[in-house]
């Protein structure tokens, strides 16, 4: 279930997180108020930007500890990597600008084993000429894999730009049965 920040005041406490080594890279998984707020690639060039955005908008820092929400997310991620799960049931809290949230909700509608383009995402988010802005929002997705930004490709399919790296994106696409028909290059 997708949701934006609640209008109620958030309790003054830290954002719990854990690190998890997935089959294709290390993720930082975090939750707040019984919802997942992050499943982000630690090696991503935008990781620190995402961490700072969450700290700023939620008004708190991070503390390494697990929660029932994090444990559920880890169980669902393990099932996904084992080929037993095609969608996630974990509730999430989307923390970003209205446009970013619109893009992330649009991406979340892209089904397992499907792919789309940045142009399609921009159009579906209501700003068809904002392809680069949509690409930036895709790259700022704090919920990698949970919100399948790996399913978004350039219109010509030639670039595998991805926060987790080109190899992780290729791994995830192939896990979902998407075979890339042409040579791809890293950004």
């Amino acid at each position: 279930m997708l949701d934006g920040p609640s209008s109620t005041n958030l309790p003054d406490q830290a954002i719990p997180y854990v690190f998890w080594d997935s089959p294709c890279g290390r993720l930082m998984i975090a939750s707040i108020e019984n919802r997942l707020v992050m499943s982000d690639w630690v090696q991503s060039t935008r990781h620190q930007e995402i961490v700072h955005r969450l700290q700023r908008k939620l008004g708190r820092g991070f503390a390494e500890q697990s929660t029932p929400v994090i444990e559920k997310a880890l169980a669902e991620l393990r099932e996904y990597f084992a080929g037993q799960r095609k969608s996630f049931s974990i509730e999430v809290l989307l923390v970003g600008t209205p446009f970013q949230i619109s893009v992330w909700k649009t991406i979340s509608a892209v089904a397992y084993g499907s792919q789309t383009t940045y142009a399609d995402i921009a159009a579906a988010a209501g700003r068809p000429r904002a392809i680069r802005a949509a690409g930036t929002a895709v790259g700022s997705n704090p919920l990698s894999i949970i919100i399948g930004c790996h399913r978004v490709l350039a219109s010509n399919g030639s670039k595998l730009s991805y926060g987790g790296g080109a190899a992780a994106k290729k791994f995830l696409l192939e896990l979902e049965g998407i075979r890339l028909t042409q040579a791809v290059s890293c950004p």
Side-chain angles (χ1 to χ4, degrees), residues 61-122:
F62 285 85
E64 190 167 1
Q65 66 183 47
S66 193
T67 67
V69 171
I70 290 171
E71 292 305 315
K72 182 178 180 184
L74 290 172
E76 290 191 7
L77 284 164
R78 286 183 189 103
E79 291 169 355
Y80 168 82
F81 280 106
Q84 301 165 340
R85 176 172 290 278
K86 295 186 179 187
S87 64
F88 295 90
S89 66
I90 193 91
E91 287 194 49
V92 301
L93 175 67
L94 300 175
V95 180
T97 67
F99 181 68
Q100 286 173 324
I101 290 171
S102 174
V103 165
W104 300 334
K105 285 182 176 183
T106 300
I107 295 167
S108 70
V110 179
Y112 179 98
S114 300
Q115 57 193 349
T116 190
T117 66
Y118 294 103
D120 290 340
I121 294 295

Side-chain angles (χ1 to χ4, degrees), residues 2-3 27-28 36-42 44-51 53-54 77 88 92-97 99-110 118 121 133-152 161-164 169 172:
L2 300 177
D3 197 8
L27 293 165
M28 182 176 175
L36 200 67
V37 293
M38 182 191 302
S39 173
D40 190 46
W41 301 104
V42 175
S44 169
T45 58
R46 295 215 173 150
H47 178 66
Q48 285 305 312
E49 170 191 319
I50 290 168
V51 167
R53 180 177 68 235
L54 290 172
L77 284 164
F88 295 90
V92 301
L93 175 67
L94 300 175
V95 180
T97 67
F99 181 68
Q100 286 173 324
I101 290 171
S102 174
V103 165
W104 300 334
K105 285 182 176 183
T106 300
I107 295 167
S108 70
V110 179
Y118 294 103
I121 294 295
T136 299
V138 169
S140 296
N141 172 20
L143 291 156
S144 294
I145 304 172
I146 306 294
I147 295 179
C149 55
H150 58 279
R151 299 177 186 130
V152 183
S161 179
Y162 187 59
K169 184 167 188 161
L172 294 170

